[in-house]
Amino acid sequence: MSTKTKAKEKDAPADGEEAKGGRKKLFLVLAVLLVVAGAAAYFFLFTGEAEAEEPVAGEVVALEPVTVNLAGGGYLKIGISLQTTEDAASGGHGGGVDGSKALDLVISTYSQAQPADVTGAREALKESLEHQIVEAYTDEEGVEMVMGIYFTEYVTQ
C-alpha cells in the first residue's frame, strides 16, 4: 500500500462512527421540528379561539317597563334594556332584536319570587335573568345576539 492510501484510511471515520453522527443530527433536527410544529399548532388553535369568542357590544335596546305580581304578594315594576352584540344588528330580519322573549322571561322569573327575594337577592335574580336572556337570544350556531341586561326601573310595593 502506498502512503497516500494509508493516510486516507486514518483520516476517514469507520462506517459505524459515520452512522452514529448522522443519526444524532437527524434526531436533533426532528426534535426541533416537532417543537416548532407543536408551538405553531398551539398558537393557531388556541389563541384564535379566545379572540373569536368575545362578542362586540352593539346598541342598547330599551324595553317598556312591566309590572309583575310577586308570589308572596306585592308588585314589582321592572324595566330592562338589552345590550345587543354587533351580530344582532347584522343578522336577523330587519336587524336588532325583538324584546318579547326577554319580557316573557322577566315575568316568569319575577312572578315566582318572594318580596324578600326581590329586595334582598336583587343581584342574584338579575344574574339568573341575564343568563336566561342571553341563552334565549343565542342562535343555533352559538352566536349571541344579547350579551347583557341593565335595569332601567326597579320599584317594589
Side-chain angles (χ1 to χ4, degrees), residues 1-2 13 19 32 54-55 61 71 75 81 83-85 90 100 107 115-116 120 122 127 129 142 150-151 157:
M1 269 197 205
S2 72
V32 169
E54 297 177 22
V61 178
Y75 301 98
S81 291
Q83 175 66 62
T84 63
T85 62
S90 63
S100 301
I107 293 168
R122 178 177 179 238
E127 186 176 311
L129 178 64
Y150 305 107
F151 285 152
Q157 180 181 6

Side-chain angles (χ1 to χ4, degrees), residues 101-122:
K101 290 181 195 176
L103 289 176
D104 184 55
L105 289 168
V106 166
I107 293 168
S108 64
T109 299
Y110 284 94
S111 65
Q112 299 172 11
Q114 298 292 326
D117 294 336
V118 170
T119 56
R122 178 177 179 238

Side-chain angles (χ1 to χ4, degrees), residues 3 5 7 10 17 22 35 44 58 60 69 97 99 111-112 120 124 155:
T3 2
T5 311
K10 281 184 179 179
E17 290 176 15
V35 168
F44 288 118
V60 176
N69 292 328
V97 295
S111 65
Q112 299 172 11
V155 180

Side-chain angles (χ1 to χ4, degrees), residues 20-96:
K20 272 188 179 179
R23 283 187 193 147
K24 285 182 183 177
K25 288 179 184 177
L26 179 65
F27 286 134
L28 180 63
V29 169
L30 286 176
V32 169
L33 286 176
L34 285 174
V35 168
V36 169
Y42 176 81
F43 177 76
F44 288 118
L45 293 176
F46 295 113
T47 58
E49 279 183 25
E51 293 173 11
E53 288 179 10
E54 297 177 22
V56 178
E59 64 181 48
V60 176
V61 178
L63 304 178
E64 289 292 321
V66 292
T67 303
V68 180
N69 292 328
L70 300 174
Y75 301 98
L76 170 68
K77 185 172 183 181
I78 184 169
I80 65 168
S81 291
L82 305 175
Q83 175 66 62
T84 63
T85 62
E86 282 188 346
D87 293 330
S90 63
H93 303 289

